[in-house]
Amino acid sequence: MLRVVSGVSLTAERGQVTALLGANGAGKTTTLECAQGLQKRTGGTITLLGQDPAAAGADLRSRVGVMLQDGGLPPSARPIPLLRHVAGLYANPWPVPELVERLGIDAFSRTTVRRLSGGQKQRLALAAALIGRPEVLFLDEPSAGLDPQSRQVVFELIAELRDAGMGIILTTHLMDDAQRLADYVYIIDGGRNVAEGTVQELLQRDHGVTPGAEQVRTLVFDADPGLEFDGVLPPGAEILEVRAGSYTVTGALAPAHLAALATWWEARNIMPTAMSLQARSLEDVFLDISGKDVR
Amino acid sequence: MNGTPATTGPAPSPGAAGNPGGSTLSGPATLFRRVLLQGKYEALAMLRNGEQLILAIILPLLALVGLTVTPFLDGMGASRINVAVPGILALCAMSTAFTGQGIATGFDRRYGVLRFLSTTPLGRGGLIAGKALSVLVVLCLQVVVVTLVALLLGWQPPAAGWLPGLLLLVLGAGAFTALGLLVAGTVRPEATLAITNLLWILLGALGGIVIPGERLPGAAQAVVHYLPSGALGESLREAFLGGTLNGAAALVLLLWTVIAGAAAIRWFKWN
């Protein structure tokens, strides 16, 4: 239904949350703004609901909701009149009172936009993006500035709209957002997409793990530096000394690996100073792919 | 359906989120309604803004009173008030279309309001049309207020002056709106604020708006007829003093509209 091509190809489907994940300056917002028709693209093709967004008319714009990174709300406006005004631009808007209640906007309906907190502004901007009952929703950094409660409300609504068939494309630099919300993730780096897949696929990427494994775990432990573990573990996992005295076991970890390691320690009377079993996060994948350099 | 956490918030009605993607639900309001709504919204925003009100109503009224109690306009062949009012109406057009609208647009651009609204069914064209409409609405109110005060002060406009007068005001509003958009779309909002306020004072005093061209220094007299301020001020005085339409001035205003409008289309930065 929706296809973004800019040197690389991105596709977002109805009824899915598609996340563009990347560091600051990776090209997420630019990609989004080209798809929204806000920026002129220099090449490539973009198809949004079967049309080119650069030549979008009012019909296409009415089917697409946009929440900008900076909100785009007039500072002197009050939430309800602003939403009423935006609602009036659509033939069949979402009733303002319903949306206001749903996003908790009634709690600050008398305050001007200028005096709202970051999270309140975000919720208002989301309401403004949703008021036309769009089929496609673009969210640029939707959780920026949200407190945990707001975040819960916003995420639940996004999941619900997705389940109701809306196609949602969001950008984020927060791995946690993508992990919680996204059905499909594109990792953007240096203006290209460098990896893609479901969250599960990305977590299992390049680790030789059979797809379908419930969770990919990493065992980390600290012990004396320079230990040699050749042939200690059964196949499927390996031990790396990432820093002197810090070891990481990666792969399809099974109880047999833990047992083998424990037996080896017992035989040599070695007690690790710290040990923990961690779920591999999207952040690990992201850092693997786009490198650990700050840019 | 998948790992989505169960929702705990108040459930939206089935008609709302239940089928947000239903193609029968999405759709724009008509173009007419969109522009009308935007015009109303912007006009109300302008009228609720204290600084804008001072610029649009208070300062022109002060200038009107000032010109009727001082001898600046004596010896023009007509009473002070009859010479002053057309210039004040021209000043109103510049206040609203150029300075007020320019500043509002500049800050809307800064805060991303232009970008957001251009993603709604309103679009860029509707946004500009809405701004032009709001300028006309506010200008109508200014004309009513200034006219009422002027009549109380003894203004006696010829009936034949209204048709050319109002036509020229609309042309002037067009030229100043285009110029205001050009400034607002190309420089920072702080610079827009400075430029449009400074030009309001300069053109208001020396641009042939409230002080007739023949009362200005020689150098100003030569160029003032080609400025939008001079063209509007002079032609409005001719309309409301003699009931005539100055075609050359109307052409000057149209040219400013076309040139500034084309420049704004070419160089306007939306973000």
Side-chain angles (χ1 to χ4, degrees), chain B residues 129-206:
Chain B
K131 283 184 180 293
L133 180 63
S134 75
V135 165
L136 288 180
V137 169
V138 175
L139 185 56
C140 280
L141 290 172
Q142 290 172 294
V143 169
V144 169
V145 171
V146 168
T147 300
L148 287 176
V149 172
L151 290 174
L152 286 173
L153 292 172
W155 185 38
Q156 292 172 315
W162 283 104
L163 191 63
L166 292 180
L167 176 71
L168 288 162
L169 270 175
V170 171
L171 289 177
F176 280 120
T177 301
L179 285 164
L181 287 172
L182 176 60
V183 175
T186 49
V187 301
R188 289 179 304 119
E190 290 79 6
T192 299
L193 191 80
I195 291 170
T196 57
N197 274 320
L198 192 66
L199 280 177
W200 186 83
I201 294 170
L202 284 179
L203 292 179
L206 300 171

Side-chain angles (χ1 to χ4, degrees), chain A residues 33 38 58-59 61-62 70 72 74-75 77 82 85 88-92 94 98 102 133-135 156 159-160 162-164 183, chain B residues 2 4 7-8 10 12-13 15-17 20 25-29 33-34 37-38 41 111-113 115 118 120-121 123-124:
Chain A
E33 290 196 342
L38 278 173
D59 279 309
R61 289 196 302 270
S62 75
D70 52 10
L82 178 66
H85 172 58
L89 303 173
Y90 297 87
N92 293 293
W94 192 328
E98 259 178 46
R102 183 61 211 259
R133 303 174 194 263
E135 294 164 57
E156 277 172 7
E160 202 174 303
R162 181 258 319 270
D163 293 350
D183 298 296
Chain B
N2 44 29
T4 313
T7 53
T8 51
S13 79
L25 287 175
S26 303
R33 186 176 148 78
R34 299 195 302 265
L37 276 177
Q38 187 63 24
Y41 189 81
Y111 295 119
V113 179
R115 290 163 69 233
S118 62
T120 69
R124 293 180 177 181

Side-chain angles (χ1 to χ4, degrees), chain A residues 61-78:
Chain A
R61 289 196 302 270
S62 75
R63 296 164 68 193
V64 178
V66 174
M67 178 174 146
L68 299 172
Q69 202 175 119
D70 52 10
L73 309 171
S76 59
R78 287 175 207 279

Side-chain angles (χ1 to χ4, degrees), chain A residues 20-220:
Chain A
L20 309 191
L21 185 62
N24 296 329
K28 305 186 295 288
T29 298
T30 305
T31 306
L32 223 57
E33 290 196 342
C34 287
Q36 293 156 353
L38 278 173
Q39 275 197 33
K40 268 192 197 141
R41 61 177 190 275
T42 46
T45 55
I46 301 177
T47 308
L48 175 62
L49 293 165
Q51 297 180 48
D52 182 346
D59 279 309
L60 180 61
R61 289 196 302 270
S62 75
R63 296 164 68 193
V64 178
V66 174
M67 178 174 146
L68 299 172
Q69 202 175 119
D70 52 10
L73 309 171
S76 59
R78 287 175 207 279
I80 309 275
L82 178 66
L83 288 176
R84 284 218 186 92
H85 172 58
V86 179
L89 303 173
Y90 297 87
N92 293 293
W94 192 328
V96 171
E98 259 178 46
L99 203 47
V100 160
E101 192 199 334
R102 183 61 211 259
L103 284 165
I105 292 168
D106 31 9
F108 52 87
S109 62
R110 306 287 311 151
T111 314
T112 54
V113 167
R114 151 181 320 113
R115 299 181 58 203
L116 298 180
S117 72
Q120 290 170 333
K121 259 182 216 163
Q122 289 288 81
R123 279 184 277 156
L124 182 57
L126 177 60
L130 284 172
I131 198 96
R133 303 174 194 263
E135 294 164 57
V136 177
L137 178 65
F138 287 104
L139 305 169
D140 201 352
E141 301 281 351
S143 59
L146 291 184
D147 56 42
Q149 288 85 354
S150 300
R151 200 154 166 257
Q152 185 68 21
V153 169
V154 166
F155 280 20
E156 277 172 7
L157 183 57
I158 290 174
E160 202 174 303
L161 294 167
R162 181 258 319 270
D163 293 350
M166 198 181 279
I168 299 170
I169 300 100
L170 58 87
T171 68
T172 182
H173 62 273
L174 300 176
M175 311 298 144
D176 193 35
D177 280 8
Q179 210 152 357
R180 269 183 68 180
L181 273 179
D183 298 296
Y184 204 82
V185 177
Y186 289 93
I187 296 181
I188 310 277
D189 191 38
R192 304 173 305 117
N193 63 341
V194 290
E196 65 179 87
T198 63
V199 171
Q200 200 57 237
E201 284 167 358
L202 286 171
L203 290 177
Q204 291 165 359
R205 189 176 179 270
D206 293 338
H207 283 269
V209 180
T210 41
E214 271 302 294
Q215 276 227 295
V216 182
R217 293 192 182 80
T218 306
L219 176 69
V220 294

